[in-house]
């Protein structure tokens, strides 16, 4: 399969989408203007982010509407706008016209995006959203679990891309559960393979981290969740937020981005 003239397997490493939501989380904790997620996004681009990712949630708990407008004005790399499949969000996306959109499930009470979309169960709605956003000029990705039925449904719904949810894999990695980690990795690998065979550009994200941020007592030399996923040759993009912004507390945002990018490149060439 080709995408923008490039065979996915020829890409040197997955592109890195830096999710800036949690800069806004810290800002909103005091209700003011600092730290500014747009400033973080500008620095992220300088530091090598390929894509700037953000999630405008229904409750606006982190990114707000005015941030979206400012990101659109300020950021030169593609924006990846994550949003729930609601009329309100689809209208904002049509108005914003980001290069990329990732449609996600959203439940008000959840701490983060806990599962993937049910494309099988909400097929018509997903198909309509894909058509509507493609007509607005955005490349659409559906955030789903690595479940063959959901992947096939995403292809039938007309999505050019899928993002496979790595939350369960990441949780197993943080917990040091080697057996679960291996089974989640195998499931992800099969999902990526199926995505490719259906002509879908396949991305991955959620919970990915680096090994030297593991708690004391765990070896920084064990493969990171980021490396395990980046090593899969047909993963075209990684979208990483929480552990990257968390790492930035200790090493700075510029260094954190450089570290995640280097990890992805190393994993792809190992
Ligand atoms: N991809 C999607 C679709 C997401 O919703 C999120 C969380 O906003 C991420 C990736 C990044 O997850 P994390 O913040 O755990 O790295």
């Amino acid at each position: 399969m080709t995408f923008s003239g490039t065979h996915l397997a020829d890409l040197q490493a997955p592109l890195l989408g830096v999710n800036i939501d949690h800069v806004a989380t810290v800002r909103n904790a005091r209700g003011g203007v600092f730290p500014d997620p747009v400033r973080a996004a500008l620095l992220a681009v300088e530091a090598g982010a390929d894509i700037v990712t953000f999630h405008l949630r229904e409750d606006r708990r982190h990114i707000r509407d005015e941030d979206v407008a400012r990101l659109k004005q300020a950021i030169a790399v593609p924006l990846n706008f994550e949003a729930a499949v609601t009329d309100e969000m689809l209208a904002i996306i049509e108005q914003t016209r980001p290069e990329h959109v990732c449609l996600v499930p959203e439940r008000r009470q959840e701490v983060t995006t806990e599962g993937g979309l049910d494309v099988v169960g909400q097929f018509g709605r997903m198909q309509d959203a894909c058509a509507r956003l493609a007509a607005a000029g955005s490349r659409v990705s559906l955030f789903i679990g690595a479940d063959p039925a959901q992947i096939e449904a995403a292809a039938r719904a007309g999505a050019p891309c899928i993002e496979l949810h790595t939350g369960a894999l990441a949780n197993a990695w943080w917990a040091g559960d080697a057996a679960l980690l291996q089974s989640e990795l195998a499931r992800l690998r099969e999902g990526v393979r199926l995505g490719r065979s259906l002509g879908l550009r396949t991305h991955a994200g959620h919970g990915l981290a680096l090994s030297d941020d593991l708690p004391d007592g765990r070896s920084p030399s064990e493969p990171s969740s980021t490396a395990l996923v980046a090593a899969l040759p047909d993963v075209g993009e990684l979208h990483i937020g929480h552990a990257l912004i968390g790492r930035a507390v200790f090493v700075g945002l510029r260094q954190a981005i450089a570290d995640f990018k280097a990890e992805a490149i190393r994993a792809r060439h190992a």
Side-chain angles (χ1 to χ4, degrees), residues 179-200:
L180 186 56
L181 178 61
Q182 284 314 314
S183 72
E184 286 298 330
L185 191 57
R187 210 161 67 86
L188 186 69
R189 190 179 291 116
E190 283 311 305
V192 174
R193 196 170 293 159
L194 177 59
R196 179 183 178 158
S197 75
L198 293 169
L200 294 165

Side-chain angles (χ1 to χ4, degrees), residues 19 21-22 53 55 57 62 80 82 102-104 112-113 143 163 204-208 239-244:
N19 181 313
D21 292 349
H22 296 302
T53 294
H55 185 175
R57 291 187 78 100
H62 35 59
N80 180 39
E82 297 176 353
C102 182
L103 296 175
V104 302
T112 181
T113 312
F143 190 44
E163 181 174 332
H206 212 279
L208 301 176
H239 292 280
I240 304 182
H242 184 263
L244 189 154

